[in-house]
Amino acid sequence: MLYPIAIERGDKDTAHGIIVPDIAGCFSAADDYNEVFANAAEAIAGHLECLAEAGLEIPLPSDIEKYVDNLDYEGMTWGVVAVDMSRYLGKTEKVNVTLPSRLIHLIDAKVAGNKGRYKSRSAYLSSLAEKDLILS
């Protein structure tokens, strides 16, 4: 998932400010502009981890277009930070799913052709479900 971040440019005396509008209270800073995205990812991960541990809802990212013209962020630069949400969705559970045999063969062929991307049939199905249910 791609979380938009607002970056307030710093200078030699002031750090670059980082705000994650979709996650209340999530912000960071970076002395070097090259560290902005890494620091933002660390701040996001920390916030989401705390929310998950507390059993609170994980805020999903908005489209960056929601914020670019918002006067609260006037003069800021925008970027996005990729976050793997799988670790915040809870522990895995085994379920029994019934599918047509032809569909299973197509899924298995897709998984076999994308070993770097999908480790298993379950990983493939999970990825599709996440895109449909969480990212949409």
Side-chain angles (χ1 to χ4, degrees):
M1 302 183 89
L2 300 174
Y3 280 90
I5 61 169
I7 307 160
E8 185 174 26
R9 187 145 174 93
D11 56 34
K12 63 180 179 131
D13 298 320
T14 308
H16 306 287
I18 306 162
I19 301 170
V20 184
D22 288 319
I23 306 173
C26 186
F27 56 89
S28 188
D31 291 326
D32 184 324
Y33 201 82
N34 293 319
E35 299 169 348
V36 164
F37 292 95
N39 291 7
E42 186 177 323
I44 292 169
H47 263 73
L48 296 183
E49 190 72 37
C50 289
L51 291 171
E53 286 175 3
L56 299 174
E57 188 170 330
I58 302 295
L60 299 175
S62 301
D63 189 301
I64 199 167
E65 293 295 325
K66 176 180 177 181
Y67 298 110
V68 293
D69 292 325
N70 186 320
L71 294 178
D72 291 338
Y73 305 103
E74 189 173 11
M76 295 187 177
T77 303
W78 288 93
V80 293
V81 174
V83 176
D84 177 7
M85 298 301 288
S86 62
R87 63 190 282 193
Y88 309 111
L89 296 177
K91 67 179 187 142
T92 59
E93 294 182 36
K94 187 172 183 168
V95 297
N96 186 19
V97 178
T98 304
L99 299 170
S101 61
R102 178 73 179 131
L103 184 57
I104 292 171
H105 293 296
L106 290 170
I107 291 168
D108 290 345
K110 180 76 169 185
V111 170
N114 289 285
K115 277 296 184 192
R117 185 168 180 192
Y118 307 113
K119 296 178 182 175
S120 66
R121 185 186 296 153
S122 293
Y124 175 74
L125 294 173
S126 178
S127 173
L128 291 180
E130 190 174 322
K131 286 177 189 171
D132 184 52
L133 300 172
I134 297 174
L135 300 179
S136 59

